[in-house]
Amino acid sequence: MFKKNAVAAGMAAFASVALAAGCAVADGSKDSAVDITAMSADELAEHLIFETDSFRDQEMQEGGSWRDRMTQDELQKACSMEGDPDGETAGRVVAMARAGYERPEGGVELGDWRKGAELANSGFGYRQGHNTDDHGQREQGGNCYNCHVFDPRVSEQGTIGPSLQNYGANRGTSEAVLNYVHEVISNPHQYFPCTEMPRFNSDRHQLLSDEQISHLMAYLLDPESPVNNQ
Amino acid sequence: MFKKALLALPVAMAVGAAAQAGEWQDPNDVLQNLLQNNPDSKYLHQSEMNIMMMPDNPALWLVEEGEDLFYAQRGPNNVSLEGCDFGKGPGELDGAYVELPRYFEDTDKVMDFEQRLVHCMKELQGFTSDDAAVGQRHGNGSDIMKLTTYIAHQSSGMAWNPPLDHPQEQAMRDAGEKLFFRRGGAMDFNCASCHGDSGKQIRASVLPQMRDGQEWTKAVSWPAHRAGHDNVRSQNHRIRGCVWQMRHAGIKHDTPVNTALISFWNDAARGEPAILPDLKR
């Protein structure tokens, strides 16, 4: 319930609040004799992840190890609750997200909507484990179709996020719209704190390149794009 | 035509009866009851075809094969699995599957079903990790999936009831709940990103809601024949698939992270009857 109108809420609160999510692993010991019942649930969850050899030792596509990928940043910690964030958390998350955002030098531009369509409909990339995506073989996609309907003529689109059909037709391509959409794709928590939507270019990491994001924006906003011709 | 698998059952079938903890029911009857009681669940009703196929669920073939394997004398030690204690005593399978994970004194830890099965195959039968019997975890051809399907079938229709009496059981369940909501990985997902709302879709798949016990009991009812894979799949295989989609790191077999997740997700279906084996998209 807080999501959409929380943007202005609680902005001031952000710096001062201590995080509840614990990462104090009991004693860092790998000894199986460690007493798991002496830990809080948060401590035990962190212990299980980092001290029990539960993950495959693989190199992540964005660089680093499984340990880096599974280590939470502040935003992930703040959003690890059930349900929507309270006002204070929402404000803190929005502030964090804004602090980490950078507009591209020279402003936001639209790329090629055809390439954007391919990226939006590709779920390739960053998967790890039994079947690891090799970015050297194929470009990573945006996974957008898992959650959004862009073009009902394309089958099998998800509904976790809102339909983006006619997104540009309804909004135009003013500078304000371009900036907003770039901000949402880069780090949607600037507007939707603790949203399910991933951050595609944030201070944590860049999952899509600036160029890829410009293509996705064209798919959404270019008047020629099938998204806007329905 | 697959019905003969059912004849092997030690327990009389309770046809169409309402879910009673402790009472065995044919998996199709369990499903039909769930469907009737939840006419508005998009998740439960999403595949007309799978509902129609349920009485001839191909997973029932594995029940039979698994039974043969369970009682066969196998491994370097040439013994059957009748000495294996899944929590209700050696060889006691009725209701054992729905009461896992649980704490085992002999290992001093909470173990999930597959972990316990592998433990017995190693300790009793003498298999090692290099043997295909325990090394191969997935697919209709694997011993593990045959045994899993046979053993799970002995709990069909019984209510999920993983014990929480031992402090370690409660601790693992609570940690599993934290893991369910822990945002992480390359795309910031937690399990609730996709299983927090009813009736939402990832592409064509309607997703189950974890806090809806009647959706969730079907969600965690594995082993299930997965039509899209044409193979029977386990709870562990499902976790592997979701973690892969989540862009977290790959989880290893028989590890505590896996066990904690299963401790929580079986607990989230507590009191609801299990469909064993199920049939999924």
Side-chain angles (χ1 to χ4, degrees):
Chain A
M1 98 204 178
F2 236 100
K3 294 196 158 177
K4 289 233 158 76
N5 34 30
V7 182
M11 287 285 287
F14 89 99
S16 58
V17 185
L19 283 177
C23 51
V25 170
D27 56 1
S29 134
K30 290 198 166 114
D31 186 352
S32 63
V34 59
D35 180 8
I36 66 167
T37 63
M39 300 180 199
S40 72
D42 277 316
E43 284 166 355
L44 179 54
E46 299 303 308
H47 171 79
L48 295 180
I49 290 178
F50 293 109
E51 308 298 333
T52 63
D53 194 23
S54 283
F55 292 97
R56 296 195 192 201
D57 191 9
Q58 293 170 313
E59 160 109 31
M60 302 297 121
Q61 292 91 345
E62 70 277 18
S65 66
W66 68 265
R67 196 172 276 278
D68 297 311
R69 188 179 271 196
M70 295 307 291
T71 300
Q72 290 183 307
D73 70 4
E74 292 302 308
L75 188 142
Q76 290 174 335
K77 278 186 203 168
C79 292
S80 292
M81 81 302 259
E82 181 167 7
D84 292 341
D86 59 33
E88 182 185 73
T89 307
R92 196 153 47 85
V93 166
V94 167
M96 266 186 247
R98 288 195 178 164
Y101 175 76
E102 270 178 64
R103 181 158 302 142
E105 274 174 48
V108 181
E109 280 174 35
L110 298 186
D112 177 349
W113 65 259
R114 287 174 195 82
K115 290 185 182 154
E118 267 170 43
L119 289 164
N121 291 311
S122 162
F124 189 83
Y126 298 103
R127 290 171 300 200
Q128 281 286 337
H130 53 293
N131 201 353
T132 298
D133 290 333
D134 178 355
H135 291 197
Q137 297 276 309
R138 196 175 144 196
E139 177 185 28
Q140 75 275 26
N143 257 301
C144 321
Y145 76 129
N146 275 315
C147 297
H148 294 288
V149 174
F150 288 82
D151 175 353
R153 291 164 293 197
V154 178
S155 65
E156 300 209 335
Q157 297 179 328
T159 61
I160 291 183
S163 167
L164 301 174
Q165 199 180 336
N166 284 321
Y167 193 80
N170 294 335
R171 283 169 183 75
T173 52
S174 67
E175 196 184 334
V177 170
L178 260 59
N179 286 344
Y180 166 75
V181 178
H182 190 270
E183 284 159 15
V184 169
I185 296 176
S186 301
N187 187 343
H189 299 269
Q190 297 181 84
Y191 295 93
F192 310 104
C194 299
T195 177
E196 292 92 343
M197 179 162 157
R199 293 170 283 174
F200 289 99
N201 182 10
S202 69
D203 47 352
R204 180 171 168 87
H205 46 217
Q206 179 154 15
L207 299 182
L208 294 173
S209 69
D210 291 339
E211 193 192 330
Q212 288 176 312
I213 291 178
S214 76
H215 297 324
L216 284 161
M217 291 191 52
Y219 185 46
L220 279 174
L221 296 173
D222 192 320
E224 300 290 308
S225 159
V227 170
N228 298 318
N229 289 283
Q230 295 171 32
Chain B
M1 94 198 185
F2 295 95
K3 295 265 168 54
K4 60 181 169 150
L6 298 174
L7 299 177
L9 277 162
V11 189
M13 301 199 294
V15 180
Q20 291 281 319
E23 204 175 327
W24 190 90
Q25 288 184 83
D26 183 89
N28 186 44
D29 295 333
V30 185
L31 177 67
Q32 291 303 328
N33 277 331
L34 268 183
L35 293 171
Q36 264 168 35
N37 295 339
N38 299 277
D40 298 330
S41 166
K42 282 194 204 155
Y43 168 68
L44 292 172
H45 289 272
Q46 68 179 305
S47 174
E48 207 52 57
M49 191 155 83
N50 286 349
I51 294 169
M52 270 166 49
M53 264 173 64
M54 188 64 182
D56 290 333
N57 187 348
L60 294 172
W61 284 112
L62 268 71
V63 170
E64 246 186 321
E65 293 179 69
E67 180 175 26
D68 292 344
L69 277 179
F70 188 83
Y71 293 101
Q73 317 218 305
R74 303 178 71 225
N77 300 342
N78 203 34
V79 294
S80 80
L81 281 170
E82 285 163 282
C84 183
D85 183 355
F86 287 94
K88 307 191 70 110
E92 265 314 315
L93 301 183
D94 292 353
Y97 189 84
V98 289
E99 294 189 22
L100 287 164
R102 69 160 69 224
Y103 173 80
F104 290 92
E105 230 159 48
D106 54 7
T107 54
D108 188 27
K109 65 178 178 190
V110 176
M111 300 172 89
D112 58 68
F113 169 77
E114 189 173 301
Q115 203 176 8
R116 188 66 185 172
L117 174 61
V118 166
H119 170 81
C120 287
M121 291 173 79
K122 287 181 173 170
E123 297 301 314
L124 297 177
Q125 297 184 309
F127 288 114
T128 69
S129 302
D130 295 334
D131 292 314
V134 298
Q136 198 188 330
R137 300 298 177 93
H138 306 301
N140 284 3
S142 67
D143 292 353
I144 294 280
M145 285 315 300
K146 291 174 188 169
L147 287 162
T148 300
T149 312
Y150 168 64
I151 296 165
H153 190 48
Q154 312 311 311
S155 296
S156 185
M158 300 180 194
W160 295 103
N161 187 25
L164 294 175
D165 307 321
H166 193 279
Q168 286 200 33
E169 291 167 344
Q170 185 72 50
M172 289 293 271
R173 180 249 167 245
D174 292 351
E177 182 169 24
K178 293 292 173 190
L179 293 174
F180 194 94
F181 291 106
R182 187 182 188 275
R183 305 277 299 241
M187 294 195 176
D188 307 327
F189 288 129
N190 61 15
C191 305
S193 302
C194 297
H195 301 294
D197 283 314
S198 256
K200 287 284 170 80
Q201 275 174 237
I202 282 269
R203 284 178 279 154
S205 294
V206 183
L207 298 163
Q209 215 274 63
M210 184 272 291
R211 292 294 181 200
D212 180 337
Q214 308 239 313
E215 288 192 350
W216 200 246
T217 185
K218 179 163 166 58
V220 300
S221 284
W222 304 89
H225 173 79
R226 217 176 145 189
H229 292 191
D230 200 16
N231 266 290
V232 177
R233 298 305 194 189
S234 62
Q235 290 196 331
N236 295 47
H237 188 273
R238 185 62 252 174
I239 290 184
R240 187 180 87 157
C242 284
V243 163
W244 183 73
Q245 289 181 63
M246 286 167 85
R247 278 80 177 171
H248 284 200
I251 298 182
K252 292 185 194 169
H253 297 310
D254 310 331
T255 53
V257 165
N258 209 53
T259 307
L261 276 170
I262 296 180
S263 291
F264 175 64
W265 82 357
N266 283 356
D267 179 66
R270 179 178 300 283
E272 301 297 338
I275 311 166
L276 297 169
D278 191 22
L279 196 160
K280 291 180 166 72
R281 36 178 308 125

